[in-house]
Amino acid sequence: MSRPIYLDNNATTPVSPRVFEAMVPYLTEHFGNPSSAYGAGRRVREAVEAARERVAALLGAEPREIAFTSCGTESDNAAIASALQTTGKRHVVVSAVEHSAVKVHAESLERQGYRVTWLPVGRDGTLEPAAVEAALTGDTAIVSVMWANNETGVLFPVREIAERCAARGVAFHTDAVQVPGKEAIDLKSTRIDYLSISGHKLHAPKGVGALYIRRRAKFLPYLHGGHQERGRRGGTENVASIIGLGEAAVEALEHLEEEQTRVRALRDRFEAAVLEALPGTEVNGHRTQRLPNTSNLSFTGVHAEQVLACLDREGICASAGSACTAGSMEPSHVLTAMGVPRERALASVRFSFSRANTEADLDRVLEVLPALIRGLREQPLSPDELRALAAA
Ligand code: PLP
């Protein structure tokens, strides 16, 4: 069978060949501990610092503002936990459509007695900065809202939200895991205090991330241990993956324009063709305030899990909502917060493109998808069959 057509790049991305090549020496000959004082350790430390400079350049930040972590989830958790500790305050503001890395943490804080405001979004998934400001109180420790939604690609106006929080003296964190390489980031020109990224969303390996901590912003570590990362994150560094993240950061900048033009054009051609071929299909999320690579479509009258299973048989990878909820019959909390009715939410499929996708990929998907949906609409599954599919 020919190679799979991978349209699930918001779930994860393949490690790029350049990233892989850059990592190999740090899994073989350069195995020293970056904290060791002798030459073999120092050389590894220098490579880690070079990677930090590259990640800082991607974000428009200073190298010392970057702390490497184990993943986007850790970065998100660390930023919020730190703000609660440094301020001693007990109120957190998040949006209703956060990734589980923020959502589940906030739910756990609620169970521990903290107060959480869950900001509603509009029908197009957008968030009003004024609504964020209205939620602030004297007891607010931090506002954490995502820059780009992983399910719909909808962008939040984080620069303006950060300004409003700064004016009220409240710390602002953004989960930007879906943003690098898709939208330009220049933290120097913003009032964002903390920002999370994750390697595996930009062609670096899984299990490495970074947290931007604005210079002079207060921060207490989440992982207590050694003095690594300037005392902001204990634990011997995941050296090879950090080197990989550095290389991926360089590549993300090199490909940013392509992502915003060629990848956007692929996504737009896909969406226009599907909407024309399949009346009754709806786009979830704002049509322009959106990442260039993401298309979340509701194919009314079918079940997303069934579409995914059929696409899988054709060698096409897509997903229903967040990867973490795939296989569950619960509609996506993101689409639910946007007021999408349950039936339509359960019929929603996310297609997320990357620079690795080609016009030929798109031709093949457009050959398969409309016929597949028409076939499923003609032969709807029984509730029992649906349950079996979701459990599979
Ligand atoms: N935040 C967003 C918006 C994401 O899409 C993801 C991953 O799906 C994460 C956080 C979690 O990142 P990681 O898988 O590195 O923990």
Side-chain angles (χ1 to χ4, degrees):
M1 198 175 146
S2 53
R3 85 182 161 88
I5 296 176
Y6 187 71
L7 298 181
D8 202 15
N9 290 280
N10 287 12
T12 196
T13 56
V15 170
S16 86
R18 251 170 72 180
V19 166
F20 178 75
E21 290 299 323
M23 290 174 64
V24 171
Y26 296 89
L27 292 164
T28 51
E29 70 257 45
H30 300 311
F31 61 85
N33 187 324
S35 297
S36 296
Y38 44 80
R42 275 200 311 276
R43 273 192 292 282
V44 173
R45 157 123 249 115
E46 280 160 18
V48 167
E49 292 315 312
R52 197 184 310 282
E53 282 172 23
R54 294 170 142 199
V55 171
L58 172 68
L59 303 180
E62 301 284 327
R64 65 162 67 180
E65 294 175 316
I66 306 300
F68 290 114
T69 64
S70 70
C71 57
T73 302
E74 183 193 327
S75 301
D76 287 346
N77 275 245
I80 295 174
S82 165
L84 291 171
Q85 279 189 70
T86 56
T87 62
K89 296 183 175 179
R90 300 191 59 81
H91 176 224
V92 173
V93 177
V94 300
S95 86
V97 296
E98 295 301 312
H99 184 273
S100 48
V102 168
K103 176 178 178 275
V104 175
H105 185 200
E107 287 164 353
S108 136
L109 291 172
E110 272 181 330
R111 284 193 299 276
Q112 294 168 54
Y114 291 92
R115 196 165 76 78
V116 177
T117 298
W118 300 89
L119 297 166
V121 294
R123 296 192 86 78
D124 57 4
T126 55
L127 178 66
E128 284 301 324
V132 181
E133 193 172 353
L136 304 180
T137 73
D139 197 34
T140 308
I142 189 163
V143 171
S144 176
V145 300
M146 65 206 316
W147 191 322
N149 189 275
N150 48 300
E151 292 191 29
T152 60
V154 170
L155 298 165
F156 282 169
V158 288
R159 290 183 194 82
E160 187 181 341
I161 295 170
E163 295 284 344
R164 290 184 186 234
C165 290
R168 297 279 296 269
V170 175
F172 177 67
H173 165 254
T174 187
D175 174 341
V177 163
Q178 292 293 344
V179 182
K182 300 176 195 160
E183 298 288 332
I185 304 179
D186 180 29
L187 287 168
K188 272 191 297 297
S189 67
T190 77
R191 304 294 298 269
I192 294 168
D193 298 303
Y194 309 96
L195 174 142
S196 305
I197 64 166
S198 169
H200 73 108
K201 310 291 180 174
L202 61 145
H203 303 276
K206 296 159 188 62
V208 66
L211 178 64
Y212 160 83
I213 305 167
R214 174 178 289 284
R215 208 167 165 178
R216 288 193 274 277
K218 293 195 180 112
F219 186 76
L220 284 171
Y222 192 61
L223 278 194
H224 298 272
H227 57 270
Q228 292 91 351
E229 299 302 300
R230 303 167 72 93
R232 296 173 299 187
R233 200 260 183 193
T236 302
E237 298 86 341
N238 180 358
V239 171
S241 293
I242 288 171
I243 306 299
L245 180 54
E247 188 69 26
V250 174
E251 281 196 273
L253 275 180
E254 287 173 6
H255 289 280
L256 179 60
E257 200 187 316
E258 178 187 359
E259 190 87 25
Q260 297 209 319
T261 53
R262 191 185 69 83
V263 175
R264 185 190 299 276
L266 271 185
R267 188 275 312 267
D268 289 349
R269 190 186 137 211
F270 164 78
E271 219 164 60
V274 173
L275 291 179
E276 196 190 322
L278 294 167
T281 303
E282 290 183 73
V283 180
N284 295 310
H286 196 283
R287 293 293 277 271
T288 55
Q289 271 176 52
R290 192 167 50 140
L291 291 173
N293 78 321
T294 308
S295 178
N296 188 311
L297 300 177
S298 290
F299 300 108
T300 321
V302 301
H303 196 284
E305 297 297 332
Q306 198 185 6
V307 177
L308 296 181
C310 296
L311 285 174
D312 188 24
R313 276 199 286 275
E314 298 289 339
I316 299 169
C317 309
S319 82
S322 148
C324 315
T325 55
S328 135
M329 287 292 277
E330 281 309 301
S332 136
H333 73 281
V334 174
L335 299 182
T336 303
M338 289 162 62
V340 174
R342 183 183 161 84
E343 189 91 341
R344 203 182 110 193
L346 289 173
S348 300
V349 178
R350 176 188 70 187
F351 301 88
S352 46
F353 295 78
S354 85
R355 62 185 194 243
N357 294 121
T358 62
E359 293 287 341
D361 288 349
L362 192 50
D363 291 343
R364 171 84 187 124
V365 175
L366 292 175
E367 202 179 287
V368 169
L369 183 67
L372 187 156
I373 301 284
R374 279 189 213 108
L376 293 176
R377 280 179 176 163
E378 276 160 24
Q379 289 193 316
L381 291 184
S382 71
D384 281 349
E385 287 170 317
L386 272 181
R387 262 189 292 279
L389 193 67

